[in-house]
Amino acid sequence: MDPSQVKIPPMKDLTVDNITENVIRINSLCDDERMKYVLERLVTHLHDFARETRLSSQEWMTGLKFLTEVGQICTEVRQEYILLSDVLGLSILVDSIDHPKPSGSTEGTVLGPFHTHEAEELPAGGSMSKDPAGEPLLVVCNIRDTNGKPVEGVKIDIWETDSSGHYDVQHADREGPDGRCIMRSDKEGIFWFQAITPVPYPIPHDGPVGRLLKKLGRHPYRPSHMHFMFEKEGFDHLITALYLRNDPFETSDAVFGVKDSLVVDIKRAGPEYAAKYGVSEDHALLTYDFVLVSDVETRELREKNSKAALDKLGRKVKIVNGLPIPELD
C-alpha cells in the first residue's frame, strides 16, 4: 500500500483517556453509516467497561480464553454462543427491540440453541412425537391478525423436548427428527396436532456456559415449554413459546424467556374437544390464540421506539432501512 494514499486521520498520543476517541476516529471512514454507528457505540461501551472495572490483563485474558472455548464447543446442533447470549439476557433483549409488539398481540421469546431446519410437515391432527413415555397432549391453536381476522397459510415451526428433557439432536443414536414439525394454518386460522406434555430440563451445562452459571450460583434449568415460530409474507416473523403454569422454574428461567402472557394451563379435553378431535375426555389439552403483527405495524413501532430511546440519550437520529443512525446537523 502506498502510504501517501492513506487518508486515515492521524492518531494523537495514545493514553487511557483518549484511546476511545482515536479508535472511533479511525473507524469513522466506514461508508456504511449504520455499521459506523454500531462500532462507535460498541467501542465506547467496551472501553468504558474496561475503565470502570479497571480491568486487569489477567481478567482480559481469562475473558478471551472463555470466548475461545465457547466457539470451540459450537457445532451444527449445539450453538454455545446462542446459549451464552441467552443466559446473559441479550437474546430476549434483542428480540424485544427488533420485534416490538402492540398491545394484544403475541409476545416473542428466545429461539434457543436447538432449532433445526429438518422438521417434517404434518397434516392437521398429526403427531410430532414418537416418545411413548410422554403424556399425550392435544394442541389446538388459532392465528389471527391484530384486527381479529383469521390468518390462513401461516407456516408454523414447532419443537419441544422428549419426556426425558432432551431434544432429538441431543441423542447420538437418533434416526431422524422427533419432537418437531411444521404445520400450516387453515382458512379459519386454526392448526392442531398431537404432542407430549412439555417437561422442565437443563440447558447444556457441560461446557463454558455451564461453568459460568455454576460460578454465578445459578441453576441451568428451563421451565416446561413448547416452541413456536410463525412465518407468512406481510407479517412480522414471530419466535415464541408457551410455558406451563406453576412449573418449578417458571420464575427463574435460565435464559429469561418466560413472559406472563405466554404462561398457559394444561386442561382436559372434556366432551366438546373429545368429540371434535377424537380423544378421550380426560386427554391433556393445550389451547392458545396467537395474534400476529403485520410488517408495517412492526416497522412503525420499531422506528417510534428507536427515536424515543435515542432521544433519551440526547441523540438525534434518522431511520435508514428501519434502523437508527445519528442525524448530523
Side-chain angles (χ1 to χ4, degrees), residues 115-130 139 155-160 168 177-184 191-195 226-229:
H115 173 261
T116 73
H117 296 282
E118 59 181 1
E120 299 174 350
E121 188 158 337
L122 289 183
S127 177
M128 75 172 189
S129 175
K130 302 181 181 70
V139 183
K155 176 186 175 184
I156 310 111
D157 207 331
I158 308 158
W159 66 105
E160 66 169 339
D168 54 358
D178 188 21
R180 61 181 78 238
C181 71
I182 291 174
M183 303 205 74
R184 308 274 175 172
F191 67 97
W192 65 283
F193 60 97
Q194 300 284 348
M226 183 178 293
H227 293 274
F228 296 83
M229 182 163 61

Side-chain angles (χ1 to χ4, degrees), residues 47-104:
H47 287 202
D48 283 346
F49 164 76
R51 276 188 287 261
E52 290 169 8
T53 62
R54 310 314 296 175
L55 193 65
S56 71
S57 297
Q58 182 179 354
E59 290 171 329
W60 174 65
M61 285 303 300
T62 298
L64 293 181
K65 181 181 178 182
F66 171 76
L67 294 177
T68 299
E69 292 173 349
V70 169
Q72 289 171 335
I73 203 173
C74 288
T75 69
E76 290 185 359
V77 296
R78 177 169 179 167
Q79 289 294 332
E80 193 82 354
Y81 265 112
I82 292 179
L83 205 60
L84 177 60
S85 176
D86 289 349
V87 303
L88 294 178
L90 181 60
S91 299
I92 193 69
L93 174 61
V94 171
D95 179 80
S96 299
I97 291 171
D98 199 36
H99 300 277
K101 307 299 180 190
S103 177

Side-chain angles (χ1 to χ4, degrees), residues 4-276:
S4 66
Q5 300 303 309
V6 177
K7 301 186 182 300
I8 295 177
M11 290 187 289
K12 300 177 181 178
D13 184 35
L14 300 181
T15 67
V16 169
D17 295 322
N18 73 16
I19 180 62
T20 305
E21 64 182 84
N22 274 280
V23 174
I24 291 173
R25 290 178 73 224
I26 293 293
N27 291 341
S28 66
L29 298 179
C30 177
D31 292 331
D32 186 324
E33 290 185 277
R34 173 64 180 176
M35 182 177 178
K36 181 166 62 176
Y37 175 55
V38 169
L39 263 293
E40 175 203 318
R41 303 319 303 161
L42 176 63
V43 168
T44 298
H45 291 296
L46 279 176
H47 287 202
D48 283 346
F49 164 76
R51 276 188 287 261
E52 290 169 8
T53 62
R54 310 314 296 175
L55 193 65
S56 71
S57 297
Q58 182 179 354
E59 290 171 329
W60 174 65
M61 285 303 300
T62 298
L64 293 181
K65 181 181 178 182
F66 171 76
L67 294 177
T68 299
E69 292 173 349
V70 169
Q72 289 171 335
I73 203 173
C74 288
T75 69
E76 290 185 359
V77 296
R78 177 169 179 167
Q79 289 294 332
E80 193 82 354
Y81 265 112
I82 292 179
L83 205 60
L84 177 60
S85 176
D86 289 349
V87 303
L88 294 178
L90 181 60
S91 299
I92 193 69
L93 174 61
V94 171
D95 179 80
S96 299
I97 291 171
D98 199 36
H99 300 277
K101 307 299 180 190
S103 177
S105 60
T106 301
E107 293 187 279
T109 188
V110 294
L111 174 69
F114 290 115
H115 173 261
T116 73
H117 296 282
E118 59 181 1
E120 299 174 350
E121 188 158 337
L122 289 183
S127 177
M128 75 172 189
S129 175
K130 302 181 181 70
D131 182 1
E135 179 190 21
L137 175 69
L138 171 65
V139 183
V140 182
C141 303
N142 70 67
I143 308 173
R144 299 185 181 278
D145 62 20
T146 52
N147 294 313
K149 181 181 177 181
V151 185
E152 180 182 3
V154 179
K155 176 186 175 184
I156 310 111
D157 207 331
I158 308 158
W159 66 105
E160 66 169 339
T161 71
D162 60 21
S163 58
S164 72
H166 294 86
Y167 288 96
D168 54 358
V169 295
Q170 293 179 281
H171 293 289
D173 60 347
R174 76 187 187 107
E175 298 179 353
D178 188 21
R180 61 181 78 238
C181 71
I182 291 174
M183 303 205 74
R184 308 274 175 172
S185 58
D186 65 19
K187 63 181 180 181
E188 296 178 348
I190 295 173
F191 67 97
W192 65 283
F193 60 97
Q194 300 284 348
I196 61 173
T197 301
V199 298
Y201 65 89
I203 60 174
H205 55 287
D206 58 341
V209 172
R211 292 196 297 273
L212 173 64
L213 291 180
K214 185 175 182 180
K215 187 75 172 178
L216 295 172
R218 290 172 54 184
H219 71 70
Y221 279 86
R222 297 217 63 204
S224 309
H225 65 279
M226 183 178 293
H227 293 274
F228 296 83
M229 182 163 61
F230 300 84
E231 295 180 70
K232 181 177 173 64
E233 186 175 356
F235 288 88
D236 186 47
H237 187 248
L238 172 63
I239 298 169
T240 193
L242 298 179
Y243 299 87
L244 303 195
R245 195 180 311 280
N246 297 323
D247 184 279
F249 303 105
E250 178 185 338
T251 59
S252 62
D253 183 7
V255 303
F256 307 99
V258 180
K259 297 180 179 179
D260 288 347
S261 67
L262 302 177
V263 177
V264 298
D265 294 296
I266 296 292
K267 306 173 183 177
R268 297 296 144 182
E272 180 182 353
Y273 281 92
K276 186 172 183 178

